[in-house]
Amino acid sequence: MAIESNKVVTLNFTLTDDTGNILDSTKDGGPFTYISGKGMVLPKLEEAVSIMMIGTKKQLKLEAVDGYGDYNEDAVQVVGKENFPGDFILEVGMEYMASNPDGVHMPFVITEVREEDVTIDFNHPLAGKTLNFDLELLDVRDATPEELAHGHVHGPNGHHH
Ligand code: ZN
């Protein structure tokens, strides 16, 4: 039975890359929840989960194109240090948000620091990676009108107000 839209879906997952590195997992933070049919998760992931039975497990492999896209070399830029606000800590691994001329927020990570400038990368951290999901569907229930109005899940594994 396929999961319809506007359901709260609760699942456990472990996400690994092709070398077995764990990229993300619900083991530490508890189950993951989303509202179906809202584009809150990768479309291919939602499609795979939508035909699972509660209590079952499934393995899903998504190529980068069905995940977070190919790695884009053009999204890597070298920027002079003088262009950063004074309170930015210019260290490798620091993540910040830039705004493009349209006011769209674009996260980036600092990947290299030199004397005069730094290299920043706008690629999604999972861009270019094959995604291997170990999925376990725990629960499916109707979303409440309040959850649908807010656009997020409430409760123990969801949003707290
Ligand atoms: Zn809310």
Side-chain angles (χ1 to χ4, degrees):
M1 191 189 79
I3 297 173
E4 301 157 44
S5 292
N6 300 332
K7 302 282 184 184
V8 171
V9 178
T10 303
L11 53 87
N12 278 326
F13 72 86
T14 296
L15 172 60
T16 53
D17 65 17
D18 269 345
T19 56
N21 287 319
I22 294 178
L23 303 171
D24 198 4
S25 174
T26 54
K27 282 203 174 98
D28 300 323
F32 173 74
T33 56
Y34 66 90
I35 301 173
S36 60
K38 300 287 184 198
M40 294 170 72
V41 298
L42 293 168
K44 293 280 184 186
L45 173 62
E46 180 153 13
E47 191 181 310
V49 171
S50 76
I51 52 171
M52 287 175 71
M53 305 282 288
I54 293 171
T56 61
K57 298 181 180 185
K58 177 188 270 186
Q59 290 188 322
L60 174 69
K61 185 185 188 83
L62 296 183
E63 300 300 332
V65 64
D66 292 324
Y68 292 94
D70 290 324
Y71 189 84
N72 179 8
E73 293 292 344
D74 293 337
V76 179
Q77 295 172 18
V78 175
V79 183
K81 281 184 175 174
E82 71 280 5
N83 293 300
F84 292 91
D87 57 346
F88 273 42
I89 300 165
L90 300 180
E91 286 176 5
V92 171
M94 295 299 287
E95 294 175 37
Y96 290 110
M97 200 73 85
S99 298
N100 74 6
D102 298 325
V104 176
H105 293 295
M106 306 189 309
F108 65 86
V109 61
I110 296 175
T111 56
E112 212 179 322
V113 179
R114 286 167 305 271
E115 194 143 331
E116 300 286 323
D117 50 36
V118 302
T119 303
I120 63 176
D121 189 345
F122 286 97
N123 282 293
H124 189 281
L126 299 179
K129 291 190 194 299
T130 301
L131 307 176
N132 299 287
F133 289 95
D134 272 317
L135 303 166
E136 180 183 15
L137 183 60
L138 299 176
D139 188 43
V140 179
R141 64 164 170 84
D142 291 328
T144 66
E146 195 186 20
E147 286 172 324
L148 292 175
H150 289 197
H152 55 228
V153 177
H154 293 164
N157 305 309
H159 200 88
H160 297 275
H161 290 279

mmCIF file of all heavy atoms in Angstrom, residues 84-131:
data_model
loop_
_atom_site.group_PDB
_atom_site.id
_atom_site.type_symbol
_atom_site.label_atom_id
_atom_site.label_comp_id
_atom_site.label_asym_id
_atom_site.label_seq_id
_atom_site.Cartn_x
_atom_site.Cartn_y
_atom_site.Cartn_z
ATOM 1 N N PHE A 84 35.390 39.302 3.580
ATOM 2 C CA PHE A 84 34.585 38.674 4.625
ATOM 3 C C PHE A 84 34.362 39.643 5.780
ATOM 4 O O PHE A 84 35.247 40.426 6.125
ATOM 5 C CB PHE A 84 35.286 37.412 5.159
ATOM 6 C CG PHE A 84 35.343 36.297 4.165
ATOM 7 C CD1 PHE A 84 36.430 36.163 3.312
ATOM 8 C CD2 PHE A 84 34.304 35.387 4.064
ATOM 9 C CE1 PHE A 84 36.486 35.141 2.379
ATOM 10 C CE2 PHE A 84 34.350 34.355 3.136
ATOM 11 C CZ PHE A 84 35.438 34.240 2.292
ATOM 12 N N PRO A 85 33.166 39.572 6.378
ATOM 13 C CA PRO A 85 32.926 40.396 7.566
ATOM 14 C C PRO A 85 33.944 40.066 8.657
ATOM 15 O O PRO A 85 34.445 38.939 8.732
ATOM 16 C CB PRO A 85 31.518 39.981 8.008
ATOM 17 C CG PRO A 85 30.893 39.354 6.812
ATOM 18 C CD PRO A 85 32.017 38.744 6.028
ATOM 19 N N GLY A 86 34.233 41.038 9.496
ATOM 20 C CA GLY A 86 35.272 40.883 10.504
ATOM 21 C C GLY A 86 35.047 39.766 11.494
ATOM 22 O O GLY A 86 35.995 39.221 12.053
ATOM 23 N N ASP A 87 33.776 39.408 11.709
ATOM 24 C CA ASP A 87 33.507 38.384 12.716
ATOM 25 C C ASP A 87 33.545 36.965 12.142
ATOM 26 O O ASP A 87 33.265 36.006 12.842
ATOM 27 C CB ASP A 87 32.166 38.647 13.412
ATOM 28 C CG ASP A 87 31.007 38.707 12.421
ATOM 29 O OD1 ASP A 87 31.267 38.806 11.203
ATOM 30 O OD2 ASP A 87 29.855 38.666 12.859
ATOM 31 N N PHE A 88 33.874 36.825 10.862
ATOM 32 C CA PHE A 88 34.000 35.484 10.290
ATOM 33 C C PHE A 88 35.314 34.860 10.734
ATOM 34 O O PHE A 88 36.366 35.503 10.686
ATOM 35 C CB PHE A 88 33.984 35.546 8.753
ATOM 36 C CG PHE A 88 32.613 35.511 8.149
ATOM 37 C CD1 PHE A 88 31.577 36.246 8.704
ATOM 38 C CD2 PHE A 88 32.357 34.755 7.017
ATOM 39 C CE1 PHE A 88 30.310 36.230 8.138
ATOM 40 C CE2 PHE A 88 31.089 34.732 6.437
ATOM 41 C CZ PHE A 88 30.069 35.464 7.000
ATOM 42 N N ILE A 89 35.271 33.629 11.166
ATOM 43 C CA ILE A 89 36.491 32.894 11.504
ATOM 44 C C ILE A 89 36.914 32.151 10.249
ATOM 45 O O ILE A 89 36.202 31.262 9.768
ATOM 46 C CB ILE A 89 36.239 31.915 12.668
ATOM 47 C CG1 ILE A 89 35.777 32.701 13.900
ATOM 48 C CG2 ILE A 89 37.507 31.123 12.979
ATOM 49 C CD1 ILE A 89 35.162 31.832 14.979
ATOM 50 N N LEU A 90 38.046 32.544 9.694
ATOM 51 C CA LEU A 90 38.481 31.978 8.418
ATOM 52 C C LEU A 90 39.351 30.755 8.666
ATOM 53 O O LEU A 90 40.573 30.810 8.656
ATOM 54 C CB LEU A 90 39.210 33.039 7.587
ATOM 55 C CG LEU A 90 38.358 34.271 7.260
ATOM 56 C CD1 LEU A 90 39.147 35.275 6.436
ATOM 57 C CD2 LEU A 90 37.070 33.878 6.528
ATOM 58 N N GLU A 91 38.683 29.632 8.889
ATOM 59 C CA GLU A 91 39.364 28.354 9.109
ATOM 60 C C GLU A 91 38.730 27.288 8.234
ATOM 61 O O GLU A 91 37.528 27.344 7.942
ATOM 62 C CB GLU A 91 39.243 27.919 10.578
ATOM 63 C CG GLU A 91 40.114 28.717 11.526
ATOM 64 C CD GLU A 91 39.886 28.314 12.973
ATOM 65 O OE1 GLU A 91 39.121 27.350 13.202
ATOM 66 O OE2 GLU A 91 40.471 28.965 13.851
ATOM 67 N N VAL A 92 39.521 26.312 7.837
ATOM 68 C CA VAL A 92 39.010 25.206 7.031
ATOM 69 C C VAL A 92 37.892 24.495 7.785
ATOM 70 O O VAL A 92 38.022 24.205 8.984
ATOM 71 C CB VAL A 92 40.144 24.212 6.695
ATOM 72 C CG1 VAL A 92 39.580 22.950 6.042
ATOM 73 C CG2 VAL A 92 41.169 24.869 5.777
ATOM 74 N N GLY A 93 36.782 24.264 7.086
ATOM 75 C CA GLY A 93 35.667 23.532 7.680
ATOM 76 C C GLY A 93 34.565 24.428 8.221
ATOM 77 O O GLY A 93 33.477 23.948 8.509
ATOM 78 N N MET A 94 34.855 25.747 8.339
ATOM 79 C CA MET A 94 33.813 26.647 8.848
ATOM 80 C C MET A 94 32.727 26.802 7.793
ATOM 81 O O MET A 94 33.007 26.943 6.601
ATOM 82 C CB MET A 94 34.409 28.018 9.189
ATOM 83 C CG MET A 94 35.423 27.987 10.330
ATOM 84 S SD MET A 94 34.743 27.399 11.907
ATOM 85 C CE MET A 94 33.754 28.817 12.382
ATOM 86 N N GLU A 95 31.468 26.784 8.226
ATOM 87 C CA GLU A 95 30.339 26.908 7.301
ATOM 88 C C GLU A 95 29.626 28.240 7.532
ATOM 89 O O GLU A 95 29.323 28.599 8.665
ATOM 90 C CB GLU A 95 29.364 25.754 7.512
ATOM 91 C CG GLU A 95 29.967 24.409 7.144
ATOM 92 C CD GLU A 95 29.041 23.256 7.471
ATOM 93 O OE1 GLU A 95 27.826 23.408 7.302
ATOM 94 O OE2 GLU A 95 29.554 22.219 7.913
ATOM 95 N N TYR A 96 29.379 28.934 6.425
ATOM 96 C CA TYR A 96 28.686 30.213 6.506
ATOM 97 C C TYR A 96 27.629 30.294 5.417
ATOM 98 O O TYR A 96 27.498 29.391 4.598
ATOM 99 C CB TYR A 96 29.688 31.370 6.365
ATOM 100 C CG TYR A 96 30.599 31.516 7.552
ATOM 101 C CD1 TYR A 96 31.951 31.193 7.443
ATOM 102 C CD2 TYR A 96 30.118 31.965 8.770
ATOM 103 C CE1 TYR A 96 32.797 31.321 8.534
ATOM 104 C CE2 TYR A 96 30.953 32.098 9.863
ATOM 105 C CZ TYR A 96 32.286 31.779 9.742
ATOM 106 O OH TYR A 96 33.110 31.900 10.822
ATOM 107 N N MET A 97 26.915 31.400 5.418
ATOM 108 C CA MET A 97 25.842 31.605 4.465
ATOM 109 C C MET A 97 26.147 32.881 3.681
ATOM 110 O O MET A 97 26.477 33.904 4.283
ATOM 111 C CB MET A 97 24.531 31.766 5.249
ATOM 112 C CG MET A 97 23.290 31.527 4.461
ATOM 113 S SD MET A 97 23.004 29.783 4.086
ATOM 114 C CE MET A 97 22.174 29.276 5.586
ATOM 115 N N ALA A 98 26.050 32.797 2.364
ATOM 116 C CA ALA A 98 26.176 33.995 1.538
ATOM 117 C C ALA A 98 24.807 34.302 0.940
ATOM 118 O O ALA A 98 23.955 33.422 0.862
ATOM 119 C CB ALA A 98 27.190 33.760 0.419
ATOM 120 N N SER A 99 24.570 35.532 0.543
ATOM 121 C CA SER A 99 23.339 35.881 -0.155
ATOM 122 C C SER A 99 23.692 36.303 -1.568
ATOM 123 O O SER A 99 24.600 37.098 -1.768
ATOM 124 C CB SER A 99 22.632 37.042 0.546
ATOM 125 O OG SER A 99 22.263 36.677 1.849
ATOM 126 N N ASN A 100 22.982 35.760 -2.542
ATOM 127 C CA ASN A 100 23.222 36.196 -3.915
ATOM 128 C C ASN A 100 22.425 37.476 -4.164
ATOM 129 O O ASN A 100 21.679 37.922 -3.287
ATOM 130 C CB ASN A 100 22.894 35.067 -4.905
ATOM 131 C CG ASN A 100 21.409 34.831 -5.081
ATOM 132 O OD1 ASN A 100 20.577 35.573 -4.550
ATOM 133 N ND2 ASN A 100 21.063 33.809 -5.826
ATOM 134 N N PRO A 101 22.596 38.103 -5.352
ATOM 135 C CA PRO A 101 21.905 39.385 -5.594
ATOM 136 C C PRO A 101 20.396 39.311 -5.445
ATOM 137 O O PRO A 101 19.736 40.317 -5.174
ATOM 138 C CB PRO A 101 22.309 39.720 -7.037
ATOM 139 C CG PRO A 101 23.606 39.026 -7.228
ATOM 140 C CD PRO A 101 23.501 37.742 -6.429
ATOM 141 N N ASP A 102 19.796 38.126 -5.592
ATOM 142 C CA ASP A 102 18.356 37.981 -5.426
ATOM 143 C C ASP A 102 17.952 37.745 -3.973
ATOM 144 O O ASP A 102 16.782 37.522 -3.681
ATOM 145 C CB ASP A 102 17.839 36.813 -6.275
ATOM 146 C CG ASP A 102 18.066 37.050 -7.763
ATOM 147 O OD1 ASP A 102 17.974 38.218 -8.193
ATOM 148 O OD2 ASP A 102 18.340 36.084 -8.482
ATOM 149 N N GLY A 103 18.926 37.748 -3.088
ATOM 150 C CA GLY A 103 18.610 37.552 -1.682
ATOM 151 C C GLY A 103 18.474 36.096 -1.283
ATOM 152 O O GLY A 103 18.052 35.784 -0.179
ATOM 153 N N VAL A 104 18.838 35.187 -2.208
ATOM 154 C CA VAL A 104 18.778 33.760 -1.893
ATOM 155 C C VAL A 104 19.992 33.381 -1.048
ATOM 156 O O VAL A 104 21.121 33.748 -1.381
ATOM 157 C CB VAL A 104 18.752 32.904 -3.183
ATOM 158 C CG1 VAL A 104 18.784 31.418 -2.850
ATOM 159 C CG2 VAL A 104 17.531 33.250 -4.015
ATOM 160 N N HIS A 105 19.749 32.666 0.053
ATOM 161 C CA HIS A 105 20.843 32.258 0.924
ATOM 162 C C HIS A 105 21.524 31.011 0.377
ATOM 163 O O HIS A 105 20.865 30.035 0.053
ATOM 164 C CB HIS A 105 20.330 31.992 2.340
ATOM 165 C CG HIS A 105 19.840 33.235 3.009
ATOM 166 N ND1 HIS A 105 20.667 34.277 3.325
ATOM 167 C CD2 HIS A 105 18.606 33.599 3.404
ATOM 168 C CE1 HIS A 105 19.954 35.239 3.889
ATOM 169 N NE2 HIS A 105 18.694 34.859 3.943
ATOM 170 N N MET A 106 22.842 31.082 0.292
ATOM 171 C CA MET A 106 23.588 29.949 -0.248
ATOM 172 C C MET A 106 24.684 29.569 0.748
ATOM 173 O O MET A 106 25.626 30.320 0.965
ATOM 174 C CB MET A 106 24.207 30.347 -1.593
ATOM 175 C CG MET A 106 23.185 30.901 -2.578
ATOM 176 S SD MET A 106 23.849 31.116 -4.236
ATOM 177 C CE MET A 106 25.334 32.028 -3.916
ATOM 178 N N PRO A 107 24.545 28.379 1.348
ATOM 179 C CA PRO A 107 25.572 27.962 2.302
ATOM 180 C C PRO A 107 26.869 27.593 1.596
ATOM 181 O O PRO A 107 26.855 27.102 0.470
ATOM 182 C CB PRO A 107 24.943 26.724 2.970
ATOM 183 C CG PRO A 107 23.930 26.222 2.009
ATOM 184 C CD PRO A 107 23.478 27.390 1.181
ATOM 185 N N PHE A 108 27.980 27.860 2.267
ATOM 186 C CA PHE A 108 29.267 27.434 1.715
ATOM 187 C C PHE A 108 30.171 26.994 2.854
ATOM 188 O O PHE A 108 29.908 27.275 4.026
ATOM 189 C CB PHE A 108 29.937 28.560 0.907
ATOM 190 C CG PHE A 108 30.336 29.769 1.709
ATOM 191 C CD1 PHE A 108 31.553 29.824 2.371
ATOM 192 C CD2 PHE A 108 29.482 30.859 1.813
ATOM 193 C CE1 PHE A 108 31.919 30.945 3.120
ATOM 194 C CE2 PHE A 108 29.837 31.991 2.545
ATOM 195 C CZ PHE A 108 31.061 32.024 3.203
ATOM 196 N N VAL A 109 31.220 26.268 2.498
ATOM 197 C CA VAL A 109 32.198 25.828 3.486
ATOM 198 C C VAL A 109 33.582 26.292 3.029
ATOM 199 O O VAL A 109 33.867 26.345 1.827
ATOM 200 C CB VAL A 109 32.141 24.289 3.678
ATOM 201 C CG1 VAL A 109 32.460 23.570 2.379
ATOM 202 C CG2 VAL A 109 33.066 23.841 4.798
ATOM 203 N N ILE A 110 34.392 26.683 3.991
ATOM 204 C CA ILE A 110 35.775 27.085 3.690
ATOM 205 C C ILE A 110 36.614 25.822 3.562
ATOM 206 O O ILE A 110 36.637 24.987 4.469
ATOM 207 C CB ILE A 110 36.328 28.007 4.794
ATOM 208 C CG1 ILE A 110 35.524 29.315 4.821
ATOM 209 C CG2 ILE A 110 37.816 28.287 4.562
ATOM 210 C CD1 ILE A 110 35.901 30.247 5.956
ATOM 211 N N THR A 111 37.290 25.674 2.414
ATOM 212 C CA THR A 111 38.040 24.441 2.173
ATOM 213 C C THR A 111 39.551 24.651 2.168
ATOM 214 O O THR A 111 40.305 23.688 2.217
ATOM 215 C CB THR A 111 37.639 23.795 0.827
ATOM 216 O OG1 THR A 111 37.826 24.747 -0.219
ATOM 217 C CG2 THR A 111 36.179 23.351 0.863
ATOM 218 N N GLU A 112 40.004 25.917 2.064
ATOM 219 C CA GLU A 112 41.443 26.187 2.067
ATOM 220 C C GLU A 112 41.657 27.624 2.505
ATOM 221 O O GLU A 112 40.880 28.504 2.132
ATOM 222 C CB GLU A 112 42.025 25.967 0.659
ATOM 223 C CG GLU A 112 43.454 25.457 0.668
ATOM 224 C CD GLU A 112 43.984 25.231 -0.761
ATOM 225 O OE1 GLU A 112 43.202 24.774 -1.616
ATOM 226 O OE2 GLU A 112 45.164 25.535 -0.995
ATOM 227 N N VAL A 113 42.678 27.857 3.305
ATOM 228 C CA VAL A 113 42.995 29.210 3.776
ATOM 229 C C VAL A 113 44.449 29.510 3.454
ATOM 230 O O VAL A 113 45.340 28.730 3.782
ATOM 231 C CB VAL A 113 42.756 29.327 5.302
ATOM 232 C CG1 VAL A 113 43.109 30.741 5.780
ATOM 233 C CG2 VAL A 113 41.317 28.982 5.662
ATOM 234 N N ARG A 114 44.674 30.618 2.761
ATOM 235 C CA ARG A 114 46.032 31.073 2.476
ATOM 236 C C ARG A 114 46.228 32.452 3.096
ATOM 237 O O ARG A 114 45.342 32.995 3.738
ATOM 238 C CB ARG A 114 46.267 31.087 0.956
ATOM 239 C CG ARG A 114 46.437 29.701 0.338
ATOM 240 C CD ARG A 114 46.349 29.756 -1.188
ATOM 241 N NE ARG A 114 45.099 30.378 -1.601
ATOM 242 C CZ ARG A 114 43.968 29.696 -1.789
ATOM 243 N NH1 ARG A 114 43.942 28.389 -1.660
ATOM 244 N NH2 ARG A 114 42.868 30.318 -2.128
ATOM 245 N N GLU A 115 47.409 33.046 2.849
ATOM 246 C CA GLU A 115 47.734 34.326 3.476
ATOM 247 C C GLU A 115 46.750 35.438 3.102
ATOM 248 O O GLU A 115 46.254 36.153 3.959
ATOM 249 C CB GLU A 115 49.152 34.743 3.049
ATOM 250 C CG GLU A 115 49.707 35.862 3.894
ATOM 251 C CD GLU A 115 51.191 35.684 4.149
ATOM 252 O OE1 GLU A 115 51.654 34.534 4.166
ATOM 253 O OE2 GLU A 115 51.874 36.697 4.303
ATOM 254 N N GLU A 116 46.442 35.522 1.806
ATOM 255 C CA GLU A 116 45.630 36.638 1.310
ATOM 256 C C GLU A 116 44.180 36.270 1.030
ATOM 257 O O GLU A 116 43.311 37.123 1.036
ATOM 258 C CB GLU A 116 46.232 37.170 -0.007
ATOM 259 C CG GLU A 116 47.661 37.683 0.100
ATOM 260 C CD GLU A 116 47.693 39.025 0.805
ATOM 261 O OE1 GLU A 116 46.766 39.825 0.589
ATOM 262 O OE2 GLU A 116 48.646 39.240 1.587
ATOM 263 N N ASP A 117 43.956 34.980 0.740
ATOM 264 C CA ASP A 117 42.606 34.610 0.330
ATOM 265 C C ASP A 117 42.228 33.217 0.832
ATOM 266 O O ASP A 117 43.069 32.490 1.374
ATOM 267 C CB ASP A 117 42.465 34.690 -1.199
ATOM 268 C CG ASP A 117 43.574 33.952 -1.921
ATOM 269 O OD1 ASP A 117 44.002 32.897 -1.419
ATOM 270 O OD2 ASP A 117 44.014 34.427 -2.983
ATOM 271 N N VAL A 118 40.969 32.888 0.645
ATOM 272 C CA VAL A 118 40.487 31.566 1.048
ATOM 273 C C VAL A 118 39.710 30.948 -0.105
ATOM 274 O O VAL A 118 39.195 31.661 -0.974
ATOM 275 C CB VAL A 118 39.572 31.627 2.298
ATOM 276 C CG1 VAL A 118 40.290 32.256 3.477
ATOM 277 C CG2 VAL A 118 38.285 32.362 1.997
ATOM 278 N N THR A 119 39.646 29.628 -0.137
ATOM 279 C CA THR A 119 38.832 28.921 -1.105
ATOM 280 C C THR A 119 37.539 28.515 -0.415
ATOM 281 O O THR A 119 37.561 27.972 0.695
ATOM 282 C CB THR A 119 39.553 27.658 -1.624
ATOM 283 O OG1 THR A 119 40.808 28.047 -2.175
ATOM 284 C CG2 THR A 119 38.724 26.954 -2.694
ATOM 285 N N ILE A 120 36.418 28.828 -1.076
ATOM 286 C CA ILE A 120 35.118 28.446 -0.526
ATOM 287 C C ILE A 120 34.383 27.571 -1.539
ATOM 288 O O ILE A 120 34.612 27.666 -2.743
ATOM 289 C CB ILE A 120 34.252 29.675 -0.151
ATOM 290 C CG1 ILE A 120 33.915 30.526 -1.374
ATOM 291 C CG2 ILE A 120 34.973 30.516 0.909
ATOM 292 C CD1 ILE A 120 32.982 31.693 -1.065
ATOM 293 N N ASP A 121 33.531 26.706 -1.033
ATOM 294 C CA ASP A 121 32.859 25.708 -1.857
ATOM 295 C C ASP A 121 31.357 25.766 -1.585
ATOM 296 O O ASP A 121 30.924 25.549 -0.457
ATOM 297 C CB ASP A 121 33.423 24.318 -1.503
ATOM 298 C CG ASP A 121 32.938 23.240 -2.453
ATOM 299 O OD1 ASP A 121 31.968 23.491 -3.191
ATOM 300 O OD2 ASP A 121 33.533 22.150 -2.441
ATOM 301 N N PHE A 122 30.602 26.081 -2.634
ATOM 302 C CA PHE A 122 29.142 26.168 -2.511
ATOM 303 C C PHE A 122 28.445 24.836 -2.786
ATOM 304 O O PHE A 122 27.230 24.749 -2.710
ATOM 305 C CB PHE A 122 28.570 27.222 -3.468
ATOM 306 C CG PHE A 122 28.830 28.641 -3.038
ATOM 307 C CD1 PHE A 122 29.901 29.359 -3.558
ATOM 308 C CD2 PHE A 122 28.002 29.254 -2.112
ATOM 309 C CE1 PHE A 122 30.139 30.666 -3.154
ATOM 310 C CE2 PHE A 122 28.242 30.554 -1.704
ATOM 311 C CZ PHE A 122 29.305 31.269 -2.229
ATOM 312 N N ASN A 123 29.213 23.804 -3.134
ATOM 313 C CA ASN A 123 28.580 22.509 -3.390
ATOM 314 C C ASN A 123 27.939 21.974 -2.109
ATOM 315 O O ASN A 123 28.465 22.170 -1.014
ATOM 316 C CB ASN A 123 29.610 21.491 -3.878
ATOM 317 C CG ASN A 123 29.961 21.680 -5.339
ATOM 318 O OD1 ASN A 123 29.137 21.469 -6.220
ATOM 319 N ND2 ASN A 123 31.185 22.122 -5.593
ATOM 320 N N HIS A 124 26.827 21.266 -2.255
ATOM 321 C CA HIS A 124 26.259 20.545 -1.114
ATOM 322 C C HIS A 124 27.308 19.538 -0.632
ATOM 323 O O HIS A 124 28.006 18.937 -1.452
ATOM 324 C CB HIS A 124 24.978 19.830 -1.553
ATOM 325 C CG HIS A 124 24.223 19.240 -0.400
ATOM 326 N ND1 HIS A 124 24.586 18.060 0.200
ATOM 327 C CD2 HIS A 124 23.139 19.688 0.282
ATOM 328 C CE1 HIS A 124 23.752 17.802 1.195
ATOM 329 N NE2 HIS A 124 22.864 18.779 1.263
ATOM 330 N N PRO A 125 27.443 19.370 0.691
ATOM 331 C CA PRO A 125 28.460 18.432 1.187
ATOM 332 C C PRO A 125 28.318 17.023 0.606
ATOM 333 O O PRO A 125 29.295 16.277 0.545
ATOM 334 C CB PRO A 125 28.207 18.402 2.706
ATOM 335 C CG PRO A 125 27.501 19.676 3.007
ATOM 336 C CD PRO A 125 26.729 20.045 1.775
ATOM 337 N N LEU A 126 27.120 16.667 0.158
ATOM 338 C CA LEU A 126 26.901 15.331 -0.389
ATOM 339 C C LEU A 126 26.879 15.324 -1.924
ATOM 340 O O LEU A 126 26.578 14.305 -2.537
ATOM 341 C CB LEU A 126 25.596 14.732 0.156
ATOM 342 C CG LEU A 126 25.550 14.556 1.673
ATOM 343 C CD1 LEU A 126 24.207 13.989 2.107
ATOM 344 C CD2 LEU A 126 26.684 13.661 2.151
ATOM 345 N N ALA A 127 27.203 16.459 -2.543
ATOM 346 C CA ALA A 127 27.242 16.520 -4.008
ATOM 347 C C ALA A 127 28.295 15.546 -4.527
ATOM 348 O O ALA A 127 29.370 15.412 -3.945
ATOM 349 C CB ALA A 127 27.569 17.938 -4.468
ATOM 350 N N GLY A 128 27.955 14.866 -5.632
ATOM 351 C CA GLY A 128 28.900 13.964 -6.273
ATOM 352 C C GLY A 128 29.013 12.605 -5.609
ATOM 353 O O GLY A 128 29.765 11.751 -6.071
ATOM 354 N N LYS A 129 28.287 12.407 -4.520
ATOM 355 C CA LYS A 129 28.390 11.129 -3.798
ATOM 356 C C LYS A 129 27.220 10.209 -4.127
ATOM 357 O O LYS A 129 26.080 10.647 -4.236
ATOM 358 C CB LYS A 129 28.407 11.371 -2.279
ATOM 359 C CG LYS A 129 29.659 12.054 -1.775
ATOM 360 C CD LYS A 129 29.663 12.022 -0.260
ATOM 361 C CE LYS A 129 30.697 12.957 0.345
ATOM 362 N NZ LYS A 129 32.074 12.652 -0.036
ATOM 363 N N THR A 130 27.532 8.927 -4.289
ATOM 364 C CA THR A 130 26.487 7.909 -4.327
ATOM 365 C C THR A 130 25.979 7.717 -2.910
ATOM 366 O O THR A 130 26.772 7.653 -1.971
ATOM 367 C CB THR A 130 27.054 6.585 -4.859
ATOM 368 O OG1 THR A 130 27.579 6.812 -6.166
ATOM 369 C CG2 THR A 130 25.966 5.516 -4.927
ATOM 370 N N LEU A 131 24.670 7.681 -2.752
ATOM 371 C CA LEU A 131 24.070 7.598 -1.416
ATOM 372 C C LEU A 131 23.494 6.200 -1.200
ATOM 373 O O LEU A 131 22.653 5.742 -1.973
ATOM 374 C CB LEU A 131 22.955 8.642 -1.276
ATOM 375 C CG LEU A 131 23.332 10.084 -1.622
ATOM 376 C CD1 LEU A 131 22.101 10.989 -1.536
ATOM 377 C CD2 LEU A 131 24.438 10.599 -0.704
#
